[in-house]
């Protein structure tokens, strides 16, 4: 009886830990790719596009504040 319980405990505990490690590796891979894309070419790449979009929003908010007062 103890052998069966020990087998089940070892089997499921190790699979759970394996799943956690797989998710952690996948998350690290996604973060590394995102960092590489955002910092690779700051003017023409995705990072530049995001920066331009935030700049446009900031300009619109500032112009709204100036005319709204």
């Amino acid at each position: 009886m103890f052998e069966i319980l020990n087998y089940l405990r070892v089997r499921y505990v190790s699979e759970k830990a394996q799943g956690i490690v797989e998710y952690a590796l996948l998350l690290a891979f996604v973060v590394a790719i995102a960092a590489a894309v955002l910092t690779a070419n700051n003017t023409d790449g995705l990072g530049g596009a995001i920066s331009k979009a935030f700049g446009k929003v900031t300009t619109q908010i500032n112009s709204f504040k100036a005319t709204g007062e």
Side-chain angles (χ1 to χ4, degrees):
M1 181 71 176
F2 289 114
E3 291 176 12
I4 294 172
L5 291 175
N6 190 28
Y7 169 76
L8 292 174
R9 181 179 56 85
V10 169
R11 178 180 169 103
Y12 289 114
V13 168
S14 66
E15 285 183 9
K16 185 177 180 181
Q18 180 183 358
I20 292 171
V21 170
E22 288 174 356
Y23 281 119
L25 289 173
L26 184 61
L27 179 63
F29 177 72
V30 169
V31 168
I33 295 299
V37 167
L38 290 175
T39 60
N41 191 353
N42 203 18
T43 57
D44 296 330
L46 183 60
I50 293 172
S51 178
K52 287 178 187 177
F54 276 109
K56 288 179 183 178
V57 170
T58 303
T59 303
Q60 290 294 324
I61 290 173
N62 289 337
S63 67
F64 179 74
K65 283 182 181 179
T67 59
E69 292 183 10

